């Protein structure tokens, strides 16, 4: 970011609130935008409106990262946007967004938002309810969350407009909320999650004052509709920065409000290793442009809770494995659903991945063959590999199932002694954990361990 150094150093007059960086002094070129973005920008401009690229697209290009998409802001009102583009659809209830379609590509266009005033209807935690006022570029800039998200690329002269000191923060590599942090989090608690995600994506630091109120306000996440939280959790954990994001959520006290059982599991060394390994695999698959599934991810995040309950039911209550795993799965899923919504299309496969795990123990004849033919075998087998990689089941068991898939006949089952070495560590762990559970007698299910 050398271009920024010369730009920021000494040039800014303290009174100048708004700053315009001409094309010659910043690195963003039109050729970096998508075709649909350019057509939308020019469509608006040619119809006499202002049009800017703003948000993550500008931020990521300035940071040298590949943007996910480009959002457009304009002074045209939604009905005016629709009059410009035949392929425009208006969506959204709280604040209308225009979707302009160019073949496969859909470009999001929003009208500048007006300033937040005391007139705005809020709920009793400070969250803004009704929000339909339109405004100018300046009011729009102050409504955005972080300074680095409020930089506007102007299609009329290719300059960048900065009202909030976003360019300095780009250079300092800081994620900073615009305005008073506590007020901004109360307006929309999801900003706490966005701070962590954006900081990790760019390897920036969260400004001290922006980070400070998070632990005490983390409970506000409970006010957010579960469907929105589900999307945000997926954005955080089904990403290349999944491991760092999980750490961030945990250390800022957010994870216990999203996935309390996952948060509690991090206190156990092997459970934490299991969750990290699952996130590392996900991140590697994303980096390799392989598909990943939210069902597998959630199955892994909640597995330590399922496994614990399964052990309790089988070891303490003497339940049959197949019954115990179903009950443990139902219980953990029901608890998780208090905090985040998990759509049925994901919770059904999750349950199958879990309930198939004890069936890997049966390695003979018909039962093994039926398991191999199960439609969810592949995901459940990948899950078994994950468990083996942290020593939860013997590697020999996983290897056997690897061979079983390609062999004409089921491979011979090694004697228990051959697999003894790799089961040693988990057994020790189990004994220790049982003691821990005793100490926590009376704690509600899913509660974080003492001292958290
Ligand atoms: P990415 O697209 O990489 O996930 P982004 O910052 O572009 O990150 P979007 O959800 O696409 O995220 O939002 C686009 C822009 O809208 C943001 O950059 C920001 O300016 C604004 N914005 C998004 N969410 C909020 C919010 N909760 N509060 C205020 N402004 C927001
Ligand atoms: Mg975006």
């Amino acid at each position: 970011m050398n271009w920024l150094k010369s730009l920021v150093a000494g040039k800014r007059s303290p009174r100048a609130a708004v700053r315009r960086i001409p094309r010659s002094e910043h690195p963003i070129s039109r050729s970096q935008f998508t075709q649909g973005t350019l057509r939308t920008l020019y469509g608006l401009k040619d119809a006499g409106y202002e049009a800017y690229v703003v948000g993550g697209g500008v931020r990521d290009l300035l940071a040298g990262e590949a943007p996910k998409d480009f959002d457009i802001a304009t002074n045209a009102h939604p009905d005016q946007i629709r009059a410009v583009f035949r392929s425009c659809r208006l969506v959204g209830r709280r604040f209308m967004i225009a979707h302009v379609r160019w073949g496969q590509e859909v470009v999001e266009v929003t009208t500048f938002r007006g300033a937040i005033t005391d007139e705005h209807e809020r709920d009793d935690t400070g969250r803004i309810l009704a929000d339909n006022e339109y405004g100018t570029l300046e009011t729009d800039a102050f409504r955005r969350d972080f300074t680095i998200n409020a930089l506007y690329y102007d299609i009329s002269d290719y300059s960048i407009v900065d009202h909030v000191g976003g360019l300095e923060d780009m250079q300092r590599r800081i994620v900073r909320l615009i305005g008073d942090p506590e007020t901004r989090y109360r307006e929309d608690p999801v900003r706490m999650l966005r701070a962590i995600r954006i900081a990790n994506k760019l390897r920036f630091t969260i400004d001290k004052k922006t980070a400070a109120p998070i632990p005490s306000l983390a409970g506000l996440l409970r006010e957010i509709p579960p469907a929105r939280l589900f999307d945000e959790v997926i954005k955080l954990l089904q990403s290349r920065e999944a491991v760092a994001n999980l750490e961030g959520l945990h250390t800022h006290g957010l994870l216990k409000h999203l996935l309390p059982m996952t948060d509690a599991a991090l206190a156990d060394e092997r459970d934490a290793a299991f969750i990290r390994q699952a996130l590392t695999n996900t991140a590697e698959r994303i980096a390799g442009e392989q598909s990943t599934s939210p069902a597998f991810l959630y199955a892994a995040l909640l597995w330590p809770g399922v496994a614990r309950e399964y052990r309790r039911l089988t070891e303490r209550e003497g339940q049959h494995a197949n019954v115990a795993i179903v009950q443990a799965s139902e219980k953990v899923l029901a608890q998780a659903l208090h905090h985040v919504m998990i759509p049925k299309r994901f919770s059904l496969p999750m349950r199958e991945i879990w309930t198939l795990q004890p069936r890997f123990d049966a390695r003979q004849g018909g039962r093994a063959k039926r398991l191999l033919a199960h439609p969810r075998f592949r995901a459940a087998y990948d899950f078994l590999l994950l468990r083996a990689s942290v020593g939860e089941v013997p590697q020999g068991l996983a290897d056997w199932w690897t061979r079983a898939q390609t062999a004409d006949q089921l491979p011979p089952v090694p004697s228990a002694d051959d697999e003894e070495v790799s089961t040693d560590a988990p057994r020790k762990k189990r004994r220790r954990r049982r003691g821990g559970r005793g100490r926590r007698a009376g704690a509600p299910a899913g509660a974080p361990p003492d001292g958290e």
Side-chain angles (χ1 to χ4, degrees):
M1 262 183 276
N2 286 337
W3 60 273
L4 261 174
K5 281 205 181 92
S6 61
L7 204 82
V8 170
K11 268 196 175 180
R12 186 182 164 121
S13 109
R15 258 170 297 152
V18 55
R19 167 150 187 203
R20 216 173 244 282
I21 316 303
R23 172 65 189 95
S24 57
E25 292 178 31
H26 70 74
I28 296 184
S29 139
R30 266 174 304 162
S31 65
Q32 291 170 293
F33 301 138
T34 60
Q35 277 302 313
T37 303
L38 284 172
R39 286 182 180 159
T40 310
L41 289 168
Y42 280 113
L44 289 165
K45 174 176 176 276
D46 294 345
Y49 300 109
E50 295 173 43
Y52 305 84
V53 180
V54 63
V58 175
R59 174 197 75 209
D60 292 351
L61 285 179
L62 289 176
E65 296 281 327
K68 207 175 66 195
D69 49 28
F70 297 100
D71 298 303
I72 293 181
T74 178
N75 61 347
H77 286 195
D79 50 321
Q80 295 171 320
I81 303 170
R82 188 158 55 183
V84 176
F85 304 104
R86 261 190 318 166
S87 62
C88 173
R89 249 171 24 97
L90 300 181
V91 295
R93 263 168 295 152
R94 245 175 51 166
F95 195 89
M96 254 192 225
I97 299 173
H99 280 178
V100 181
R101 179 178 285 281
W102 303 98
Q104 291 295 313
E105 191 184 352
V106 176
V107 180
E108 268 194 16
V109 186
T110 48
T111 307
F112 292 145
R113 295 185 183 202
I116 287 274
T117 64
D118 293 342
E119 310 301 62
H120 276 85
E121 200 192 332
R122 293 167 194 254
D123 70 9
D124 49 15
T125 64
R127 208 153 54 94
I128 294 182
L129 298 172
D131 178 20
N132 288 311
E133 300 287 312
Y134 299 122
T136 61
L137 185 148
E138 183 171 4
T139 60
D140 190 79
F142 285 95
R143 291 291 305 274
R144 293 186 178 266
D145 45 9
F146 307 106
T147 60
I148 56 172
N149 280 350
L151 297 168
Y152 295 72
Y153 174 97
D154 186 346
I155 195 61
S156 73
D157 61 1
Y158 318 131
S159 64
I160 291 176
V161 189
D162 178 10
H163 278 270
V164 295
L167 286 164
E168 269 107 327
D169 288 339
M170 281 299 306
Q171 197 227 344
R172 296 195 189 120
R173 304 174 66 82
I174 283 175
V175 174
R176 184 201 311 273
L177 272 171
I178 300 168
D180 171 58
E182 178 159 346
T183 310
R184 301 304 312 279
Y185 289 136
R186 286 187 180 279
E187 278 172 15
D188 181 4
V190 166
R191 290 171 184 154
M192 296 187 274
L193 304 179
R194 289 177 52 84
I196 287 167
R197 179 164 66 83
I198 292 168
N200 284 333
K201 177 174 182 182
L202 303 178
R203 289 169 298 283
F204 280 22
T205 326
I206 303 177
D207 168 64
K208 263 199 197 134
K209 287 187 183 146
T210 295
I214 295 180
S216 62
L217 298 178
L220 292 173
L221 288 177
R222 291 180 194 274
E223 312 295 325
I224 302 298
R228 186 170 176 216
L229 277 192
F230 177 83
D231 290 345
E232 291 299 326
V233 171
I234 288 296
K235 281 192 208 163
L236 280 151
L237 300 184
Q238 204 167 42
S239 86
R240 283 179 187 229
E241 297 80 30
V243 175
N245 285 341
L246 184 86
E247 304 290 344
L249 291 176
H250 179 63
T251 53
H252 289 89
L254 292 159
L255 191 61
K256 61 172 177 264
H257 297 283
L258 293 170
L259 295 161
M261 279 178 284
T262 310
D263 193 62
L266 292 182
D268 180 284
E269 220 175 290
R270 197 184 61 194
D271 289 348
F274 176 85
I275 291 166
R276 276 201 202 95
Q277 190 59 50
L279 294 179
T280 305
N281 293 356
T282 303
E284 279 169 5
R285 289 183 69 90
I286 292 168
E289 293 182 8
Q290 288 172 280
S291 67
T292 56
S293 101
F296 191 89
L297 177 67
Y298 264 89
L301 292 170
L302 298 173
W303 173 249
V306 177
R308 185 161 308 169
E309 179 63 9
Y310 172 74
R311 281 194 300 271
R312 191 182 70 78
L313 291 171
T314 51
E315 292 173 14
R316 286 217 193 151
E317 300 194 3
Q319 283 219 20
H320 187 275
N322 290 348
V323 178
I325 192 69
V326 171
Q327 279 189 10
S329 302
E330 293 306 328
K331 184 171 173 184
V332 167
L333 202 52
Q335 280 174 6
L337 288 172
H338 287 310
H339 302 275
V340 253
M341 187 202 62
I342 304 175
K344 275 238 160 56
R345 67 179 186 284
F346 301 131
S347 62
L348 290 177
M350 278 166 67
R351 226 181 305 213
E352 281 185 310
I353 289 171
W354 289 336
T355 53
L356 289 178
Q357 294 310 306
R359 288 177 56 184
F360 284 109
D361 291 337
R363 281 184 266 179
Q364 322 60 20
R367 282 162 81 191
K369 285 193 181 135
R370 275 197 299 282
L371 183 52
L372 281 166
H374 193 286
R376 197 68 65 192
F377 173 83
R378 185 67 211 192
Y381 161 77
D382 284 341
F383 204 79
L384 179 75
L385 294 185
L386 188 59
R387 294 172 62 212
S389 74
V390 297
E392 189 184 309
V393 292
Q395 187 59 43
L397 178 68
D399 292 344
W400 188 89
W401 284 99
T402 307
R403 285 197 303 276
Q405 289 170 71
T406 48
D408 293 336
Q409 288 186 336
L410 293 179
V413 179
S415 75
D417 286 350
D418 290 345
E419 288 178 351
E420 184 63 16
V421 180
S422 44
T423 53
D424 195 37
R427 275 202 203 144
K428 265 193 217 146
K429 252 318 187 301
R430 270 210 287 275
R431 269 201 294 278
R432 214 180 306 147
R433 201 185 283 118
R434 221 178 281 152
R437 244 193 341 240
R439 278 199 303 280
R440 289 185 60 217
D450 298 338
E452 272 287 289

